[in-house]
Amino acid sequence: MKTDEYLFRYDRGTFWIASYKIGDGLLNRLLFGYLMVSENLFTFRANHRTDAQTESKGFLQDLVVPSKKFIDLVNAVNTSLRIFPLWFCPIKNVNPERRKIFSLGDADINYINVGVYGDPRIQPYATVERNREMESLLTKLGGKKVLYGCSYYTREEFAELYDMKTYDTLRNKYIPNADIPTIYDKVIRHDVPVLCVD
């Protein structure tokens, strides 16, 4: 399979994520569905929206919580963001010791990934404050953010959630004195001003 075919094999899912912009319904899918393939949407985003604009207007996160706390998270998203639809994906935590740095925690607990993708319907929307709210709630509920999205954890919070002692040990062993950013520096946004959208 070619790389581009592999990367864009789930195009209809991308249409689903974009549906909050053009409306979801049979007519829209019939009229615009063929345009809503990943390649087109990524190109459009690259040409028309910067990361700062995306962050200031949208909330694009995967939030993982223990299944027993799932309803609490969904209620909080509804109250503070009002983004619909949400994406739910059950996760079985297999061999957490093998994945210690980014493990979800106890192997006996099942988790649910709640995908929250869209523009909040509650305005004004303050990017950093709303993200920090969700990060604090996730920590209280025993969950974590998936690290592809923007995160605003302090260095101490991040170290506690993602076992940075083990990460630092491995980093020092395999790339000592390397002049490359740490995982914290790669995923945490330090440069985003607090923006509100009216």
Side-chain angles (χ1 to χ4, degrees):
M1 182 182 282
K2 294 180 185 175
T3 302
D4 62 337
E5 289 173 3
Y6 175 78
L7 292 173
F8 299 113
R9 69 195 184 282
Y10 298 119
D11 283 342
R12 295 302 165 220
T14 303
F15 172 76
W16 179 84
I17 293 168
S19 66
Y20 73 92
K21 281 293 189 196
I22 64 168
D24 193 17
L26 182 59
L27 183 60
N28 281 338
R29 286 183 186 263
L30 290 173
L31 293 175
F32 303 110
Y34 72 97
L35 293 172
M36 298 299 143
V37 293
S38 299
E39 194 169 18
N40 292 347
L41 292 171
F42 288 132
T43 301
F44 178 80
R45 183 186 176 276
N47 293 332
H48 294 93
R49 210 174 204 195
T50 65
D51 284 341
Q53 288 172 320
T54 300
E55 283 183 49
S56 68
K57 295 183 180 183
F59 190 90
L60 305 170
Q61 300 287 343
D62 278 292
L63 312 172
V64 181
V65 291
S67 57
K68 291 180 181 177
K69 303 293 185 173
F70 164 72
I71 295 300
D72 296 334
L73 179 61
V74 171
N75 288 337
V77 168
N78 182 39
T79 302
S80 67
L81 298 169
R82 296 203 48 82
I83 295 175
F84 303 103
L86 299 175
W87 183 76
F88 306 130
C89 179
I91 299 172
K92 183 174 173 94
N93 194 19
V94 180
N95 296 328
E97 281 304 310
R98 287 188 60 209
R99 297 173 187 86
K100 189 173 180 186
I101 297 171
F102 301 106
S103 170
L104 294 172
D106 191 342
D108 297 330
I109 297 175
N110 289 319
Y111 291 82
I112 297 180
N113 178 345
V114 178
V116 186
Y117 319 114
D119 292 339
R121 291 182 177 93
I122 291 186
Q123 299 295 336
Y125 171 64
T127 303
V128 177
E129 282 89 353
R130 209 55 89 203
N131 270 276
R132 290 294 293 150
E133 227 175 77
M134 286 294 130
E135 289 169 353
S136 175
L137 177 65
L138 279 172
T139 301
K140 287 178 190 166
L141 296 176
K144 297 179 183 182
K145 276 184 169 180
V146 177
L147 294 179
Y148 75 85
C150 298
S151 297
Y152 302 89
Y153 294 113
T154 65
R155 192 172 291 278
E156 293 75 25
E157 292 168 335
F158 190 85
E160 189 173 320
L161 286 169
Y162 296 101
D163 189 14
M164 295 313 292
K165 284 183 182 179
T166 301
Y167 171 83
D168 289 337
T169 300
L170 291 170
R171 181 181 164 91
N172 291 333
K173 179 179 178 180
Y174 292 105
I175 48 173
N177 305 317
D179 192 25
I180 57 175
T182 66
I183 190 73
Y184 177 82
D185 295 321
K186 290 178 184 179
V187 300
I188 302 298
R189 295 305 303 254
H190 307 284
D191 59 341
V192 178
V194 178
L195 298 173
C196 291
V197 178
D198 296 323

